[in-house]
Amino acid sequence: MLLKTLSEAFGPTGFEDDVRNVIRGELDGRVDEMNTDVLGNLIAVKGAKKPGPKVMLDAHMDEVGLMIVQICDGGAESGLLKFRALGGIDPRVLVSKPVLIGPDRIPGVIGAKPVHLQAPEERQKPIPMDKLYIDIGAKDAADAKAVVKPGDAAVFATRYAEFGDRAAKGKSFDDRVGCALLVEAMQTEVPYPLYGAFTVQEEIGLRGARAAAYQIQPDIAIALEGTVCFDVVGAPSHGQSTVFGKGPALTVQDAQTIADRRFAEFMWETAKRHGIPVQWRRVKGGSNDFGAIHRVGKGIVGGSISVPVRYIHAPTQVVSLDDVENAGRLLRAVLQEIAEGSFTL
Amino acid sequence: MENHQPLLEQLMTTHAGPGFEGAVRDVIVPHLRSYAQAVQVDVMGNVVAQVAGCGEGRRPRVLLAAHMDEIALVVARIEAGGFLRVVQTGGFDPRTLVGQEVVVHARGGDLLAVVGSKPPHLTAPEERGKAAPLSDLYLDLAMPESAVRERVRIGDRVTLSRDVYLLRNRRLAGKSLDNRASIAILLETLHRLQQLIHQADVYAVATVQEEVGLRGAQTVGFAVQPDVAIAIDVTFGAFPGQAADESFALDAGPAISFGPNLHRKVFQRLVDVAERHRIPYQIELSQTPVGADANAFQVAGPGLAAALVGIPIRYMHTSVETGSYADIEQCARLLAHYIAELDMAQVEDLSCY
Amino acid sequence: MKEWIVRLAAEIAPSGSEGRITSVLLDAVQDIADETHMDALGNAIATKRGEGPHVMIAAHMDEPGVMVIDIDDDGFLRVIPTGGLTASEAAFRQVAFTNGTVGLVCLEDGEKRPEQFEQLFVDIGAKHRQEAESRAFIGLGGVLGTGVADIGNGRLLGRALDNRVGCAIALHAFRELAQLGRYVSVVFTAQNAPGARAAQAAAFALEPDLAIVVDGVPASDVPGGKRTALKLGAGPAFKVMDAGTVAPLSVKQLIEDAADALGLTLQYEVWPGGRSDTGAIQLTREGILAAGISYPVHTAGAAEALVDLADVEATLRLLVAAVQTFGQ
Ligand SMILES: [Zn+2]
Ligand SMILES: [Zn+2]
């Protein structure tokens, strides 16, 4: 299953190779052309010469991860690895998680001093990242250096599985869900030029998308994303952002974008017309690639379609498979309605 | 000419903050002219010097950039008594400014001033334990208020005043080694390139307004759109109490940066060149977009292959920034050899993932 | 001029919902412009071709406001800020939405001080969700504050004066320069309040030789005033620097020459906390020559502001003179 493969692929920000290769394999022979640019964005193209609006779909390939910055030498630390975050990681989610490091996927665990040995006041506080280590079982620094080097990236070693009621858990649904939707969308036939941009470096500032949008210069752009979902015990309506299983979410405003109201309404009405559940994303915080895309060049019309993801940026994220499916249906409906001229620029 | 150290010393005592780089630009331009076929100044004030490569047809285009601005202050208010309040253009630690001599660049000419602070005799014990914020500091021109108002206007720029000190082992200390050291590297590189055959067209750029947000780099990156854009900027010299991955030894060669926002193949090539030519080097890791012009280059226009190299200096953003001229020379060797070996096959490979 | 300011300030235009004021402004230049249009980000743009270098005059037309982000079962709304509005500024005030709905911003019971928007809700008097949904929707924009009052001695006070004053100045300058046969564009920019997000798109499209941005700047001749060294009523200010721009000396010279020619005293703006469209325009493409000319206000960036009409007139004269000086 594509979502499983993508979710388990290794793609911390700046190290998206594995994900790019999975996508390239999936789309091989199914699009007119596929190119990588100098940043590592993978851009798939269909019908470049067709008339009509040039549409760009975007999903970012990168995920939050870690970078090994030091292999400790000497003393009790010897052979343990120091690391820093690649992208926004809450240090509180790190302790006691397994990780995979570097091109050889060397397994390791993130450890800390046992709770028994922590002073009462220490126990009250989250453990800061510079007090955590990755343990790969090395005997000493030389042993560790044989398999890991500073600069190697690491990801959480979370396996994909379906559980509960039409739900799936795994790592990096933000934004492998978007990648899966985009792979699927690139295989639909539309009468206008369609560009699928699988971008890099979203997690450190929407960087790949900005360059990709400049190259493509689309008339319409849609970012496909995983977004915050916190519809859990104790969360009031306005603190949830999105509700699990209630369909894809559309944005009115986030930290980087005030939505193009006409386009947001067009997508909303499309969902209603096609009987697809849809919801508004009800929070200001967070952002996605459209935040960078819409400001490129002369300005670009569009928006985003987001799949609610519980525990986004944590090692284990949870999505509703119905939401994923409905996001795909909505995207197809939107592409079809654009073809039918329901949205005029 | 032996090397550009005398020029570096001149540059370090010349004043140029973000948006008023003219004085340093005037010093640099004639030197760039001696290496380049064309030297232009753009709308933002960036200097772009072109050195053509050899060969017919499409040649690699490499941009080498060092920012020429330094952290500076701007006069924000004139207080009673003629004392000046200032704000930052660039990141000073206000604690390093207390007692500092500065130059106010006024319309009628430069004026010397001292950053004032209350003497310890008058400071309450609890005050002594606290650092004064910039808003509490003032500039003393030792002139009556009327004279100050006549000469100084809101918006006048202020820079540090500091001679260059030649320390042991070819190390030198002073203001604005960040990033005049890299201007020296730029010129040393062009100097070495004259002895080498290179296919690449080189755009040697002195950028403006780096210290306020990589602004000159953003526009010049867009304008030139080179195949490879290399920023040269200083990094943190090793000093007690700093994290190991944020500390680089002086005299151990330039630091070559690696991270998501730098092109890994350019990085690797720089490392390979260093190894092959026995140039000492260090590797700097970054997890977020770097705080140097390379950050802006990567996302300029369609996106550029960006790299970052530079020498370590101690006491960054103070008036006693300290670095080694030996590192400057090693960095220039690295860049000259990298450029000499750059070819179109490498350029085409930059987009292959 | 005053009539225009009052008329423009009556429009409700929180960032991203500038639709209505856009038509008012474009209608006002239609007769004299060669072309007018609205771009993808909501900027309203008019161009008149003519002599000399192409000069772009820009003034943002949006204002800080709020946006509905949630509607609950009991019919209460939750809002988020658009632009730099804080929860304490919004609390206990009336909010007027773009669709005519009005509401009261309230603090949740039990909360002492409004510090975050999460503590606030808007009461529009609806009895339940359904009724609320008939009068408001998620994404609906609104503004705070009351209409313009003429407080005598040539001063005005009220909502959105920052930057409807700038719009009025830009509008007049454009008309005047167009009549003089200059090649000039005017851009009423959208989405300035959340961080100058739209101006660069217009600059990218127009590629002007010079851009002059008109905006309000806080005067600090008020109790505790420290943000700038400017005085209300002391004339226009040249923007030396703000959080987004440092002016090149050539631009400074241009504005100074224009002021000198008019015999006008210029103030100098150093406002490290400010963010006008100037920087966004300056850094577009290969770099664009951009100048900021500001009129002093009391409380810039807030819902309401107080301005001096003499400053406004002088700013207009300086702007026109600067464009005429440019390229001569
Ligand atoms: Zn994401
Ligand atoms: Zn620097």
Side-chain angles (χ1 to χ4, degrees), chain C residues 100-307:
Chain C
T101 298
V102 288
L104 186 62
V105 183
C106 309
L107 183 64
E108 279 183 4
D109 256 10
E111 299 282 359
K112 282 196 196 73
R113 233 177 294 119
E115 274 155 1
Q116 290 175 322
F117 273 84
E118 284 75 18
Q119 302 166 298
L120 304 179
F121 63 92
V122 176
D123 192 342
I124 56 168
K127 298 194 191 73
H128 41 66
R129 176 192 287 274
Q130 226 184 346
E131 189 185 338
E133 283 179 343
S134 71
R135 282 155 52 197
F137 53 87
I138 291 175
L140 175 64
V143 298
L144 305 154
T146 31
V148 174
D150 187 339
I151 48 180
N153 68 342
R155 291 181 172 185
L156 300 178
L157 150 68
R159 210 204 83 242
L161 283 177
D162 173 6
N163 186 35
R164 300 302 149 71
V165 163
C167 291
I169 293 170
L171 178 70
H172 282 76
F174 174 74
R175 293 195 65 92
E176 209 170 305
L177 289 160
Q179 255 144 18
L180 291 166
R182 294 299 303 251
Y183 183 8
V184 60
S185 293
V186 65
V187 181
F188 302 104
T189 64
Q191 301 191 40
N192 164 272
R197 288 186 186 164
Q200 83 291 338
F204 188 94
L206 294 172
E207 295 187 66
D209 300 302
L210 169 71
I212 303 183
V213 177
V214 191
D215 207 343
V217 59
S220 289
D221 54 339
V222 293
K226 275 209 174 100
R227 283 203 278 176
T228 65
L230 303 171
K231 289 191 177 73
L232 192 72
F238 170 71
K239 186 185 286 288
V240 175
M241 69 157 303
D242 67 15
T245 191
V246 176
L249 296 178
S250 59
V251 166
K252 187 178 179 188
Q253 193 63 53
L254 170 75
I255 304 299
E256 282 175 344
D257 289 349
D260 283 350
L262 293 172
L264 201 148
T265 34
L266 200 57
Q267 305 195 76
Y268 291 93
E269 170 191 346
V270 173
W271 184 23
R275 192 175 280 277
S276 76
D277 286 334
T278 315
I281 293 167
Q282 182 185 29
L283 300 185
T284 301
R285 288 186 180 266
E286 296 88 351
I288 290 174
L289 215 51
I293 300 182
S294 312
Y295 53 90
V297 305
H298 283 166
T299 77
E304 294 186 45
L306 192 154
V307 300

Side-chain angles (χ1 to χ4, degrees), chain C residues 18-40:
Chain C
E18 298 93 350
R20 266 176 29 192
I21 194 168
T22 302
S23 5
V24 174
L25 286 164
L26 288 184
D27 282 352
V29 292
Q30 205 82 54
D31 59 319
I32 198 157
D34 293 332
E35 58 211 58
T36 64
H37 78 285
M38 222 181 97
D39 74 8

Side-chain angles (χ1 to χ4, degrees), chain A residues 159-191:
Chain A
R159 286 186 182 284
Y160 176 93
E162 292 176 17
F163 75 123
D165 182 12
R166 292 275 295 150
K169 64 107 189 168
K171 75 166 177 65
S172 66
F173 285 148
D174 168 19
D175 184 29
R176 301 301 152 68
V177 152
C179 291
L181 291 169
L182 181 44
V183 165
E184 197 187 313
M186 287 312 291
Q187 297 172 52
T188 55
E189 289 305 320
V190 291

Side-chain angles (χ1 to χ4, degrees), chain A residues 188-340:
Chain A
T188 55
E189 289 305 320
V190 291
Y192 46 78
L194 187 64
Y195 289 75
F198 299 89
T199 61
V200 297
Q201 298 181 41
E202 190 269 357
E203 299 290 359
I204 53 169
L206 323 178
R207 296 174 68 84
R210 181 167 150 188
Y214 186 85
Q215 295 161 41
I216 297 169
Q217 309 259 352
D219 297 305
I220 298 174
I222 304 172
L224 308 169
E225 253 293 20
T227 197
V228 192
C229 173
F230 198 63
D231 61 332
V232 295
V233 55
S237 170
H238 63 277
Q240 298 170 335
S241 173
T242 58
V243 178
F244 197 76
K246 283 251 173 110
L250 304 180
T251 300
V252 288
Q253 187 182 162
D254 66 21
Q256 294 295 332
T257 313
I258 298 175
D260 184 310
R261 187 74 207 169
R262 272 182 65 234
F263 196 78
E265 262 165 29
F266 158 69
M267 292 200 290
W268 183 268
E269 292 307 323
T270 298
K272 295 289 168 200
R273 260 200 304 281
H274 292 254
I276 303 164
V278 64
Q279 57 182 323
W280 294 112
R281 183 182 183 277
R282 291 168 293 123
V283 70
K284 179 164 179 170
S287 62
N288 62 49
D289 274 343
F290 189 68
I293 294 168
H294 79 285
R295 280 185 251 179
V296 166
K298 293 183 222 168
I300 295 165
V301 170
S304 49
I305 296 176
S306 302
V307 174
V309 179
R310 283 188 187 156
Y311 324 117
I312 200 164
H313 286 200
T316 297
Q317 307 178 2
V318 179
V319 289
S320 149
L321 292 170
D322 288 333
D323 287 343
V324 177
E325 194 182 305
N326 284 321
R329 286 176 62 209
L330 176 57
L331 180 58
R332 281 193 300 278
V334 165
L335 292 177
Q336 182 195 327
E337 298 258 349
I338 291 172
E340 287 163 8

